[in-house]
């Protein structure tokens, strides 16, 4: 197992569109274990492969406080959206920045599990928000990019300032 390096916004590699996984095998399962370890260590409630510079459609999520309810989604697709929720989001690739994003409140998601078997899940609230946040990463989108260019420039300034004080 290994803890992977998480790309930091505004790294251009975060804008890569991830490719579908064509075969779920031991290599994919090893990556998923490393992604889960990286997410738990951060700590975060979700991680997309994009964030560790692997551009394949793989997401791990665990919103439990006990860190024992790992959800893995390979090649996820949202088939239904319902309602709206305005949730305060954060991102491991944009440390120290939090802000509200409008998402669907409930979704139905289809994906493959770690054995390559398809499953369908209905999610609401935080889990639904997190799935949508992670699927954006697979499309090369970071949550702050929903905001105005003006607000994004303030995010960049704050990240630079925080970086300086961390040195
Ligand atoms: O750890 C995370 N917390 C979080 C909080 C609200 C909405 C989304 C998230 S996902 C984030 C981890 C991350 O950056 N995943 O890409
Ligand atoms: Ni994120």
């Amino acid at each position: 197992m290994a803890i992977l390096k998480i790309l930091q916004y505004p790294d251009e590699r975060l804008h890569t569109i991830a490719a579908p996984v064509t075969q779920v095998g031991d290599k994919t399962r090893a990556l998923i274990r490393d992604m889960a370890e990286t997410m738990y260590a951060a700590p975060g409630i979700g991680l997309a492969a994009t964030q560790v510079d692997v551009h394949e459609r793989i997401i791990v999520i665990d919103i439990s406080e006990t860190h024992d309810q790992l959800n893995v989604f390979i090649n996820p697709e949202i088939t239904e959206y319902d309602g709206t929720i305005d949730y305060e989001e954060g991102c491991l690739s944009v440390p120290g920045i939090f802000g509200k994003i409008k998402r669907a409140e409930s979704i139905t998601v289809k994906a493959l599990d770690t054995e390559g078997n398809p499953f369908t899940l209905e999610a609401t609230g935080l889990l639904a928000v997190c799935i949508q946040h992670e699927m954006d990463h697979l499309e090369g989108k970071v949550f702050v990019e929903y905001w105005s260019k003006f607000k994004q420039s303030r995010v960049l300034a704050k990240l630079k300032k925080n970086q300086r004080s961390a040195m």
Side-chain angles (χ1 to χ4, degrees):
M1 299 244 289
I3 291 181
L4 308 171
K5 203 178 140 235
I6 298 175
L7 297 177
Q8 300 294 297
Y9 183 82
D11 194 309
E12 270 305 313
R13 291 171 288 181
L14 287 169
H15 291 146
T16 313
I17 297 178
V21 174
T22 52
Q23 197 154 42
V24 181
D26 289 342
K27 201 173 139 250
T28 296
R29 283 185 283 272
L31 170 65
I32 287 165
R33 279 193 295 276
D34 287 346
M35 285 174 61
E37 193 184 8
T38 303
M39 171 184 74
Y40 289 130
I45 59 170
L47 192 72
T50 307
Q51 291 175 280
V52 295
D53 203 20
V54 176
H55 302 287
E56 296 179 25
R57 305 187 83 81
I58 303 168
I59 290 170
V60 296
I61 294 176
D62 189 341
I63 61 166
S64 75
E65 306 213 319
T66 41
H67 287 185
D68 60 358
Q69 285 168 50
L70 184 66
N71 283 288
V72 176
F73 302 88
I74 299 169
N75 299 343
E77 281 177 43
I78 297 175
T79 56
E80 279 182 62
Y81 295 85
D82 202 33
T84 57
I85 183 171
D86 205 3
Y87 201 92
E88 174 114 334
E89 300 193 14
C91 181
L92 295 172
S93 295
V94 199
I97 305 292
F98 302 90
K100 288 199 165 171
I101 304 287
K102 269 199 183 61
R103 303 281 191 187
E105 206 266 329
S106 309
I107 57 172
T108 303
V109 57
K110 282 189 188 172
L112 302 178
D113 65 18
T114 55
E115 298 304 317
N117 297 317
F119 67 95
T120 303
L121 179 85
E122 285 180 35
T124 60
L126 178 58
L127 181 58
V129 166
C130 195
I131 292 168
Q132 291 169 82
H133 174 116
E134 304 311 339
M135 287 182 66
D136 275 352
H137 279 302
L138 301 181
E139 290 301 313
K141 184 154 182 165
V142 180
F143 82 112
V144 297
E145 292 165 347
Y146 282 101
W147 297 341
S148 67
K149 287 285 175 213
F150 174 71
K151 204 166 166 190
Q152 285 181 51
S153 68
R154 288 196 315 193
V155 166
L156 287 170
K158 188 170 179 198
L159 288 171
K160 269 193 186 153
K161 183 167 171 273
N162 289 352
Q163 241 168 21
R164 274 202 303 276
S165 59
M167 292 201 294

